[in-house]
Amino acid sequence: MVLNDPIGAHGQEWWRHAVTYQIYPRSFADGDGDGVGDLPGITSRLPHLRDLGVDAVWISPFYTSPQKDHGYDVADYRDIDPLFGTLADADELLERAHEVGLKVIVDLVPNHTSDAHEWFQAALAAGPGSPERDRYLFRDSPAGAPGTPPNNWRSVFGGDAWTQVEDGQWYLHLFDASQPDLNWRNPEVGDMFVDVLRFWLDRGADGFRVDVAHGLFKEESLRDQVVAAGRQPSSDARDAADVPMVERTERDEPMWDQPEVHDVYRRWHEVLAKYDGDRMLVAEAWTQSPESMARYIREDEMSQAFNFAWLLASWSASEFTEVVTGTLAATEAVHGSPTWVLSNHDVDRHVTRYGGGPVGLARARAATLTMLALPGSAYLYQGEELGLEQVDVAPEHRSDPFWLRTGHVGRDGCRVPIPWSGEAPPFGFGPGDGQPWIPQPTAWAALTVEKQEADPDSTLAFYRAALAVRRTFAHTAGDAVEMLDLGPDVVAFRRGPLTVALNCGTEPVAVPDGDVLMASGPVGATLPADTAVWLG
Ligand code: GLC
């Protein structure tokens, strides 16, 4: 079976084969010693990323924000929060990154603003029926049911998706109550975001990661979500992840993935096309199928969309194979470019998802090596190059609104500040001994960048080597992937001169012919369990 055969000429834009490294600014590097990472901190650590061998960085939001969702609640899209620095620091970061050959992707949050945004404050002040309220989704209770929210939608973070204001109206927030959803049917909203895009493009941004890209438009009636018997209403795509892939059925989602959203990305495509240098858009769209994901990357829309099916797949050769074949078929159908991602700031780190400890780490390295061999581009999350695990953060140190609203689901554990050097926290995260905003485990003394740089068998050394080898074929191996059958426990494929095998079973399997270019662990005549190999 040959998949993703290159029909037609694919462009050679930088993002098609890029490896992009996600920076969560609070937790990457702290320049001023207040315990929270910042832009000067990022700039000072750019050499780490250059040495790692990535092509681009995506920086989670750094805008002015009350930080209720750590920056995904934006009060001013054209300024930097003082916690992270100034616009001059952003300019400096862009310039230094470009000097070392790194592209910079800015995180854009168009689905909602912060409740501190001037528009929302004006909406509250102006009252029901005003043009100010029309920029958001304010509604009344259903007739005859005062005190009842306008529909049954739930926030992704738990609880109702509606909050009532003093005059009795409700506003929609698919996330925290501090993140009111914008009304994208109001043309002022679209115009404002085009201005924001231009603001950052003019400053040199190479692209945008578009937050909640599938959420901007809701079904216009704002009707109830229809829920299957025995299940609760939910807006969280990840709720589907506890259902085995083969049993998943389409869910009714009037809040997500509406056809009108694609007009927004066609307009943005045109805006970016006026700039030099292949500026790009990557969608965070938790859609239900590879086909619906591919709609975001049609030729006149976005450049890429995160492939969350790869991240949601369990440690299973059949699931991984299904995701590879499904993704390549769907992206090829729109002449799009596939992406691969295993971790980000919203999910448990993949070492932990795959079981934690030495087994989890072996599997994480193997899954990473497999993804880095696939055509398209890959996204890495800060700290995965150190093999960091999810941290069980004490409740008093948790500040994720998801945790605050549910009391049990939280993302703080993948946001613990990076250990750079030294024997004790803060591990060089900031100057001096000041402790970071989430305490780091003392065991991370063994996982600092400094320690791993000195160890040829470290996870950091593995990532550097894999990225260096990837550079030798990423642009030339082509997009055609031929799946190979090496038994039910093995994901195997050929891509140009490269043969790749990942053993998800419990027993060693025979290694296909070829010279070992790179392996995720020790490989001899056989490929051990939880190991992947590249052969040339
Ligand atoms: C996206 C972000 C997540 C944030 C949410 C609301 O899913 O990745 O971190 O909480 O949007 O903006």
Side-chain angles (χ1 to χ4, degrees), residues 22 24 58 60-61 69-74 107-112 156-157 174-176 179 209-214 238 256 284 286 306 308 344-347 400-402 411 415:
Q22 181 192 355
Y24 196 67
W58 144 35
S60 282
D69 189 15
H70 298 335
Y72 284 97
D73 47 324
V74 182
D107 205 321
L108 190 72
V109 188
N111 179 67
H112 45 264
V156 172
F157 293 161
L174 289 174
F175 295 90
D176 191 47
Q179 296 167 298
R209 176 263 187 188
V210 181
D211 189 65
V212 196
H214 59 315
R238 283 158 289 188
W256 301 131
E284 186 219 19
W286 292 84
F306 295 129
F308 291 124
N344 64 33
H345 66 296
D346 290 330
V347 297
D400 177 6
F402 213 143
R411 302 167 294 176
R415 301 171 174 179

